[in-house]
């Protein structure tokens, strides 16, 4: 597809996602600017990120360290400078140092060892990373990561005590094949409890292409939307 064709396609899909967000926020009696859209660009090339930037996108999400770091390195410095890069995938602590160099936010923090590794890496890089505690709402840890809900307060304390990290809230993926609302409601309550001790931890990251309306109805502040904007995922190279 020509650059113009791809740009028009991305613009159309971005607009339709923005319309979905606008009508869901209206239906929920929430302000439109209460909800932030993070466009998940995993599997898609740096060129798409640059086109999305031209269309006004400023938050992008990536879930694999190698792919993300290579892609971000390809962007023009002025494009990169405008973007907030969210790391949303499972992360091994031995990759923390690498991720801390290019990510602005790590949404998938789910174990004490990762907190320690990210804090050290951020401090070494003289950066402060915004982090979310990823919560496992399926209860069966189906390989998608996440801390058990009962472990969230201790994780939050640990993050709050880490000089290189800033606790911003909670993140989750809805359990597969189930009504997402009970899970998103639960995440919202976990976020609320977190805010009684950590008032700045206001983010609730929930909702993807298929369930963003449910997430908005349940109070999500951040959506992570990939395929509804970029299209169905090509095979990994
Ligand atoms: C891929 C991914 C998304 C986006 O999913 P879509 O269904 O493509 O919108 C959101 N969150 C996480 C953690 C992901 O890995």
């Amino acid at each position: 597809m020509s650059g113009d064709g791809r740009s028009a396609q991305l613009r159309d899909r971005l607009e339709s996602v923005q319309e979905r967000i606008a009508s869901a926020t209206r239906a929920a009696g929430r302000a439109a600017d209460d909800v932030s859209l993070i466009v998940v660009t995993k599997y898609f090339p740096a060129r798409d990120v640059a086109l999305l930037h031209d269309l006004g996108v400023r938050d992008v999400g990536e879930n694999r360290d190698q792919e993300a770091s290579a892609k971000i390195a390809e962007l023009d410095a002025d494009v990169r400078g405008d973007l907030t890069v969210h790391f949303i995938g499972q992360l091994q602590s031995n990759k923390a140092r690498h991720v801390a160099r290019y990510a602005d936010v790590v949404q998938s923090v789910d174990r004490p060892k990762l907190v320690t590794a990210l804090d050290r890496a951020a401090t070494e890089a003289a950066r402060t990373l915004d982090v979310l505690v990823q919560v496992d709402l399926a209860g069966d840890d189906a390989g998608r990561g996440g801390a058990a809900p009962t472990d969230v307060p201790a994780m939050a304390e640990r993050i709050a005590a880490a000089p290189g990290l800033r606790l911003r809230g909670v993140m989750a993926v809805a359990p597969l094949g189930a009504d997402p609302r009970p899970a998103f409601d639960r995440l919202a309550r976990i976020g609320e409890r977190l805010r009684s001790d950590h008032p700045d931890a206001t983010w609730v990251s929930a909702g993807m292409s298929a369930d963003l309306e449910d997430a908005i109805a349940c109070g999500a502040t951040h959506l992570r939307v990939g395929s509804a904007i970029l299209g169905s995922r090509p095979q990994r190279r």
Side-chain angles (χ1 to χ4, degrees):
M1 192 180 302
S2 73
D4 286 354
R6 179 60 169 160
S7 180
Q9 183 181 55
L10 290 173
R11 188 196 56 226
D12 290 349
R13 294 201 191 122
L14 182 64
E15 278 173 5
S16 88
V17 165
Q18 284 162 339
E19 280 161 20
R20 284 173 63 190
I21 295 170
S23 59
T25 46
R26 226 174 6 253
R30 301 179 57 191
D33 63 2
D34 209 28
V35 177
S36 304
L37 172 64
I38 297 155
V39 181
V40 178
T41 47
K42 68 187 188 197
Y43 301 79
F44 289 91
R47 214 171 131 271
D48 282 351
V49 178
L51 292 173
L52 287 163
H53 171 267
D54 288 345
L55 296 170
V57 169
R58 293 296 178 264
D59 287 88
V60 296
E62 285 286 335
N63 77 336
R64 239 179 30 151
D65 172 42
Q66 267 195 327
E67 178 189 338
S69 61
K71 196 179 299 182
I72 288 153
E74 272 185 59
L75 297 172
D76 289 345
D78 54 340
V79 172
R80 171 62 188 100
D82 276 347
L83 294 176
T84 298
V85 175
H86 299 250
F87 191 86
I88 63 172
Q90 281 183 39
L91 180 56
Q92 291 168 338
S93 34
N94 63 5
K95 301 275 176 64
R97 174 170 286 117
H98 202 222
V99 169
R101 282 194 219 134
Y102 63 83
D104 302 295
V105 184
V106 179
Q107 297 206 357
S108 45
V109 178
D110 61 356
R111 7 182 244 295
K113 200 175 161 193
L114 189 52
V115 174
T116 309
L118 284 170
D119 179 37
R120 188 180 304 140
T123 305
E124 276 174 17
R127 306 189 66 204
T128 307
L129 286 179
D130 284 328
V131 302
L132 305 183
V133 179
Q134 184 179 350
V135 185
D136 171 24
L137 296 173
D140 57 1
D141 191 7
R144 292 192 294 172
T150 49
D151 291 339
V152 171
M155 287 284 297
E157 287 310 319
R158 199 179 267 268
I159 293 165
L165 307 180
R166 187 161 45 215
L167 177 67
R168 301 311 305 265
V170 290
M171 178 274 234
V173 179
L176 276 175
D179 177 4
R181 293 221 184 186
F184 288 154
D185 277 333
R186 189 160 178 219
L187 182 68
R189 285 196 303 273
I190 293 168
E192 222 168 77
R193 276 201 298 275
L194 195 66
R195 282 195 297 284
S196 60
D197 289 326
H198 307 280
D200 295 335
T202 55
W203 296 18
V204 178
S205 172
M208 321 199 318
S209 294
D211 56 19
L212 68 89
E213 285 85 359
D214 296 300
I216 289 169
C218 298
T221 62
H222 290 68
L223 309 171
R224 309 176 308 271
V225 178
S227 50
I229 296 168
L230 279 299
S232 53
R233 306 193 222 294
Q235 291 306 109
R236 294 267 194 206
R237 287 175 306 260

